[in-house]
């Protein structure tokens, strides 16, 4: 099928129906960010058959492909799952939106496109937590393998610091990565860098090389030539659409993994024999071949739900929902970690030049930008706005005596983890507070008014500085609400759950923005007024602002953590679910300890590694089978 997008780029996709086939060597549940990388990797071997089941459909719309329009998908039932939190106890009982892409390509089809790595020590911590081979070297090598990095023009590199050593990036991989090309209002970004520099935060020219501290420009998954989103659907699937061994079935909502009735392996592990799904209002199923695998890549919120629907999870939670536990695995759905943020908004002085905030407000500017984009792939629409970030440890923004007091309060709160499976990872995370190579807080510059509660005046320009808590200590959970597979799970990220400490550091960060950053030249000379939180807010008012306005920054991880079982693990370092023989997880939910950066590139890299691991297991099993051809095959009984 050849599809023309509304702006003239054509995608050639082959969405193959299962064509009557009922058994595959590998079944991947969820054709999202991780699922499609994995599908491409596993289907490289033409002798192996792979099926991907995706609940959404193929989406190719301006708002997913044109960089500046990316957030337009939020709350659209066609492409957003429209998850929300349960009321957040430490955020004024607010119910917060948790957008997730319900489409082929998953959340990578709709996200903000930053293509960034975490700091070296953050990945190395995964290995320390009991996952041999999961460290900076392997994650970074896999990110590089997926990347085709195109540097910025020398002018953009010089003026807007859109620069990073090319040796930190991959060349020739399928995902196109480059920098923004629209920087208006022009004085703003250089001033942001200079004011941070004046406060002792350096410009970082190598943020993809394992050191993310400082102020820098984030590269994005954008095709440098046609200036549209680069993601699995228009990269992996396009050249590979003729692979006859890869079937992608869209509109297929998986309802559970089908487990064999008996424990088959000697270890007593259960065997996944297929999956059940709903398509066209019909319940259907497909199966894996004798040596095959089921891999769940349904994302941090839905992977635990699917495990629970399949009878894998905390036995008492399952019992409450009327589900028989096949594998009692209490860590399923626990250890949920997400970034949380608050916004500060400012009005800019007159005469600084055009602002992207005028898109869809100023009809003349908007028409001009559409023409520029359509004709030349230039202008405001060709870039993600707000790729200038500063990532720093707390020590750089909080006074030494306050920091000492805050750490003491944190240590008191962290006692709640004593004797729990998470004690070791919390202790490691606590020790990382003293490692100044690990960022704890991020300040993102958005050249627009991003706070919907503040009314924009016509012909005025604004900026928003997003403050993001990168390494929350709070742990949340996600569990199924009922045994109805179509119901959304109950998601409790427990934002600001280590209340005293997390509210305090966010308050200090807001104070830093209001009283230091935006009061320091040259940024201070561009700002007319602070609008939100109101200028001159007291400490108590800022604290209340944090408690009322904190929101999800959309990087949930950890709900099916890769950890030793007794330390809160759901999967082992081979990504195999404990207590199963051939069921794996390979999406953001496996990340055991949240990283202090945006998560997509890491999720991609982990999925590529998952492909290597599963391929090896599959082939090793073939060798064993050859050696023991006389072994009797037990028939597999399946309850459908
Ligand atoms: C608004 C937003 C902006 C973001 N911006 C950035 C950014 O700029 N940079 C960055 O690094 N990260 C960003 N992220 C985070 C990043 O996109 C995610 O971490 C990453 O995409 C998660 O990948 P995943 O494979 O775990 O899940 P997903 O990509 O969400 O994939 C899960 C897939 O499974 C499917 N699925 C779920 N349940 C079922 C079922 N029962 N049956 C069949 N299919 C199912 C879903 O439809 C989806 O396609 C952003 C996230 C959001 C929401």
């Amino acid at each position: 099928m050849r599809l023309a997008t509304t702006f003239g780029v054509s995608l050639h996709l082959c969405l193959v129906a299962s064509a009557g086939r009922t058994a595959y060597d590998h079944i991947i549940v969820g054709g999202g960010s991780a699922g499609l990388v994995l599908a491409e990797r596993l289907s490289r071997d033409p002798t192996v058959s792979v099926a991907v089941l995706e609940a959404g459909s193929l989406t190719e719309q301006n708002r997913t492909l044109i960089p500046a329009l990316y957030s337009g998908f939020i709350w659209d039932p066609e492409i957003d799952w429209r998850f929300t939190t349960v009321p957040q106890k430490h955020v004024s009982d607010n119910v917060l939106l948790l957008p997730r892409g319900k489409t082929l390509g998953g959340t990578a089809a709709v996200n903000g496109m930053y293509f960034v790595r975490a700091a070296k020590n953050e990945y190395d911590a995964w290995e320390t937590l009991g996952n041999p081979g999961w460290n900076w070297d392997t994650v970074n090598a896999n990110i590089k393998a997926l990347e085709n990095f195109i540097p910025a023009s020398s002018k953009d590199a010089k003026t807007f610091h859109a620069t990073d050593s090319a040796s930190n990036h991959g060349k020739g991989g399928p995902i196109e990565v480059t920098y923004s090309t629209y920087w208006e209002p022009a004085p703003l970004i250089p001033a942001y860098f200079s004011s941070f520099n004046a406060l002792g935060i350096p410009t970082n020219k190598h943020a993809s090389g394992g050191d993310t501290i400082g102020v820098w420009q984030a590269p994005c998954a954008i095709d440098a030539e046609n200036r549209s989103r680069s993601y699995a659907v228009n990269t992996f699937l396009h050249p590979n659409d003729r692979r006859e061994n890869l079937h992608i079935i869209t509109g297929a909502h998986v309802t559970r993994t089908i487990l064999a009735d008996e424990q088959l392996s000697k270890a007593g592990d259960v065997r996944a024999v297929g999956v059940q799904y709903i398509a066209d209002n019909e319940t259907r199923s497909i199966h894996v071949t004798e040596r095959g695998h089921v891999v769940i890549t349904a994302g941090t919120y839905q992977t635990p739900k699917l495990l629970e629907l399949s009878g894998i999870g905390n036995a008492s939670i399952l019992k409450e929902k009327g589900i028989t536990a096949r594998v009692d695995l209490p860590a399923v759905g626990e250890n949920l970690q997400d970034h949380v943020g608050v916004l500060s908004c400012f009005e800019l002085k007159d005469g600084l030049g055009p602002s992207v905030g005028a898109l869809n407000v100023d009809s003349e500017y908007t028409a001009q930008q559409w023409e520029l984009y359509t004709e030349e792939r230039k202008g405001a629409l060709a870039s993600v706005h707000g790729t200038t970030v500063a990532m720093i440890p707390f020590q750089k923004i909080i006074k030494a005596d306050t920091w000492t007091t805050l750490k003491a309060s944190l240590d008191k709160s962290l006692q709640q983890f004593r004797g729990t499976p998470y004690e070791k990872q919390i202790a490691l995370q606590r020790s990382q507070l003293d490692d100044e190579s690990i960022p704890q807080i991020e300040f993102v510059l958005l050249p627009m008014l991003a706070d919907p509660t503040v009314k924009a005046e016509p012909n005025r320009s604004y900026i928003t500085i997003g403050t993001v808590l990168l390494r929350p200590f709070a742990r949340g959970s996600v569990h199924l609400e009922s045994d109805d597979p179509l119901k959304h799970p109950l998601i409790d990220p427990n934002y600001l759950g280590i209340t005293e400490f997390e509210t305090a550091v966010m308050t200090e960060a807001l104070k830093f923005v209001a009283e230091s950053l935006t009061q320091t030249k040259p940024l201070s000379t561009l700002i007319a007024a602070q609008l939100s939180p109101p200028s001159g807010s007291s400490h108590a008012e800022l604290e209340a602002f944090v408690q009322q306005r904190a929101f999800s920054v959309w990087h949930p991880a950890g709900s099916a953590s890769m950890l030793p079982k007794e330390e809160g693990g759901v999967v082992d370092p081979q990504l195999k679910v404990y207590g199963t023989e051939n069921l794996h997880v390979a999406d953001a939910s496996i990340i055991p300890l949240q990283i202090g950066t945006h998560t997509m590139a890491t999720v991609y890299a982990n999925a590529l590694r998952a492909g290597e691991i599963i391929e090896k297991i599959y082939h090793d099993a073939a060798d064993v089978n050859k050696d023991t051809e006389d072994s009797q095959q037990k028939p597999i009984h399946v309850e459908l």
Side-chain angles (χ1 to χ4, degrees):
M1 157 175 48
R2 183 163 281 277
L3 297 156
T5 69
T6 43
F7 64 103
V9 174
S10 71
L11 298 174
H12 186 189
L13 293 170
C14 189
L15 302 181
V16 187
S18 63
R21 185 169 188 147
T22 55
Y24 293 85
D25 294 316
H26 304 296
I27 298 176
I28 298 170
V29 177
S33 319
L36 293 186
V37 173
L38 180 65
E40 190 283 331
R41 179 65 186 81
L42 288 172
S43 64
R44 282 183 203 171
D45 178 347
T47 67
V48 163
S49 57
V50 179
V52 178
L53 297 172
E54 166 55 42
S57 57
L58 168 68
T59 310
E60 42 163 24
Q61 308 173 359
N62 287 341
R63 67 193 155 157
T64 61
L65 293 172
I66 298 180
L69 304 183
Y70 83 88
S71 58
F73 85 101
I74 295 174
W75 210 243
D76 178 341
E78 246 187 65
I79 46 173
D80 181 4
W81 280 94
R82 304 216 296 182
F83 296 119
T84 55
T85 64
V86 300
Q88 288 301 281
K89 200 164 139 204
H90 308 291
V91 189
S92 309
D93 276 331
N94 293 341
V95 170
L96 303 174
L97 298 190
L98 302 172
R100 293 279 106 188
K102 184 180 184 180
T103 175
L104 199 62
T107 306
V110 292
N111 71 8
M113 288 162 261
Y114 275 34
F115 192 91
V116 290
R117 287 108 162 127
K120 176 182 183 300
N121 289 355
E122 298 186 87
Y123 294 123
D124 287 348
W126 297 357
E127 188 158 48
T128 309
L129 288 172
N131 299 300
W134 291 86
N135 53 39
W136 161 260
D137 288 339
T138 54
V139 176
N140 188 43
N142 282 318
I143 295 178
K144 278 186 169 180
L146 287 162
E147 186 182 20
N148 186 39
F149 178 69
I150 307 289
S153 69
S154 53
K155 180 175 169 285
D156 285 357
K158 192 159 172 255
T159 314
F160 303 108
H161 306 277
T163 182
D164 194 354
S165 161
S167 64
N168 287 334
H169 293 273
K171 195 77 193 153
I175 300 285
E176 299 289 336
V177 176
T178 193
Y179 287 101
S180 290
T181 50
Y182 186 86
W183 310 100
E184 302 292 352
L188 185 64
I189 290 169
Y192 194 70
F193 275 83
S194 297
S195 291
F196 268 110
N197 296 165
L199 292 165
I201 313 293
T203 297
N204 184 336
K205 291 187 190 297
H206 49 258
S208 299
D211 168 14
T212 57
I213 300 297
V215 53
W216 45 278
Q217 212 55 258
C220 289
I222 293 178
D223 185 320
E225 263 180 40
N226 72 17
R227 301 299 307 179
S228 61
R229 178 190 299 274
S230 177
Y231 71 124
V233 174
N234 53 13
T235 56
F236 308 128
L237 295 187
H238 176 73
N240 299 318
D241 60 5
R242 272 176 236 103
R243 280 189 193 165
E244 291 189 351
N245 59 330
L246 172 60
H247 288 183
I248 294 177
I249 306 165
T250 55
H253 189 123
V254 175
T255 51
R256 70 180 170 111
T257 304
I258 305 164
L259 302 175
D261 291 348
E262 316 87 349
Q263 322 286 101
L264 282 183
S265 77
K266 284 199 186 105
D269 293 343
V270 297
R271 180 166 174 73
V273 293
V275 301
Q276 193 176 66
Y277 64 99
I278 298 174
D280 299 328
N281 295 320
E282 244 182 49
T283 299
R284 301 175 188 169
S285 58
I286 53 173
H287 294 89
V288 282
T289 54
E290 188 197 322
R291 284 186 288 124
H293 294 88
V294 174
V295 192
I296 306 186
T297 52
T300 299
Y301 301 137
Q302 308 216 71
T303 286
K305 186 183 100 171
L306 275 168
L307 290 172
E308 290 178 333
L309 285 166
S310 313
I312 301 170
N314 183 324
S316 48
I317 293 179
L318 299 185
K319 192 171 171 203
E320 249 176 53
K321 310 295 176 191
I323 295 171
T324 308
R326 296 292 310 280
V327 179
D328 183 9
L329 194 52
V332 170
E334 300 296 324
N335 204 30
L336 175 63
Q337 301 157 64
D338 193 10
H339 294 154
V340 61
V342 279
L343 301 175
S344 305
C345 299
F346 301 84
E347 187 179 321
L348 293 178
K349 287 188 177 155
D350 284 339
L352 295 177
S355 165
V356 69
L359 265 183
N360 299 332
V361 177
D362 177 337
S363 54
E364 198 182 321
Y365 174 84
T366 308
Q368 215 177 52
Q369 295 306 323
W370 271 102
E371 194 177 323
L372 254 181
Y373 186 76
T374 315
E375 303 292 323
E376 300 177 49
R377 291 290 188 267
K378 285 186 178 153
L381 291 162
S383 292
V384 170
H385 298 288
T387 57
T388 314
V389 300
M391 292 191 178
I392 41 197
F394 289 130
Q395 291 88 328
K396 297 277 183 208
I397 59 156
I398 300 177
K399 285 196 192 101
D401 53 343
T402 310
W403 180 230
T404 306
T405 313
L406 288 178
K407 279 198 293 186
S409 122
L410 174 66
D411 289 337
K412 223 165 125 198
S413 302
L414 295 185
Q415 285 176 12
Q416 66 185 269
F417 291 102
R418 284 232 178 115
T420 73
Y422 304 102
E423 185 169 355
K424 185 172 161 192
Q425 69 159 270
I426 292 288
L428 177 66
Q429 188 182 345
R430 170 67 182 83
S431 72
Q432 289 177 330
L433 279 183
D434 300 321
D435 176 351
E436 294 194 20
S437 78
I438 293 183
Q440 301 291 343
I441 199 102
E442 178 183 14
F443 297 102
V444 187
L445 174 65
L446 305 165
M448 65 194 79
L449 188 57
D451 181 342
T453 66
V454 180
K455 193 175 171 307
E457 298 295 333
N459 305 320
R460 306 294 309 167
S461 293
Y462 303 89
I463 59 165
T464 302
I465 297 174
T467 294
V468 181
L469 182 62
L470 291 174
R471 308 289 312 276
F473 281 93
R475 297 296 189 264
S477 65
V478 47
H479 292 289
L480 78 182
E481 189 189 348
S482 77
D483 64 353
D484 177 352
L486 299 182
K487 270 209 162 148
H488 281 354
L490 292 170
I491 306 171
D492 181 6
N494 190 24
Y495 292 123
L496 305 177
I498 303 298
T499 323
E500 208 176 305
F501 177 79
E502 292 183 336
T503 308
V505 291
M506 291 299 271
T507 305
E508 292 294 330
L510 279 185
K511 239 182 353 196
F512 169 79
V513 171
E515 295 172 12
S516 296
L517 179 63
T518 55
Q519 299 297 325
T520 300
K521 281 183 185 165
L523 187 60
S524 59
T525 64
L526 309 181
I527 290 174
Q530 171 156 6
L531 305 176
S532 163
S535 178
S537 293
S538 66
H539 184 92
E541 284 165 338
L542 289 179
E543 196 175 76
F545 186 86
V546 170
Q547 285 160 346
Q548 285 154 16
R549 300 291 198 87
F551 64 93
S552 167
V553 185
W554 311 319
H555 299 148
S559 58
S561 280
M562 173 177 63
L563 284 169
K565 190 177 171 195
E566 61 285 3
E567 286 167 18
V570 173
V571 298
D572 67 15
Q574 308 297 299
L575 303 181
K576 187 162 72 73
V577 177
Y578 290 110
T580 74
E581 201 177 83
N582 61 337
L583 178 61
H584 293 253
V585 174
D587 54 28
S589 66
I590 64 157
I591 294 175
L593 183 56
Q594 179 61 296
I595 44 174
T597 196
H598 306 241
T599 37
M600 174 178 67
T602 302
V603 169
Y604 277 157
N606 292 350
L608 194 58
R609 186 171 162 81
E612 283 158 26
I613 291 171
I614 292 164
E615 184 178 74
K616 183 168 182 327
I617 298 173
Y618 182 79
H619 286 299
D620 288 353
D623 294 342
V624 171
N625 273 7
K626 240 189 254 153
D627 292 346
T628 56
E629 246 155 31
D630 55 338
S631 69
Q632 323 86 331
Q633 295 291 319
K634 274 195 191 178
I636 294 174
H637 298 292
V638 173
E639 183 211 326
L640 286 176

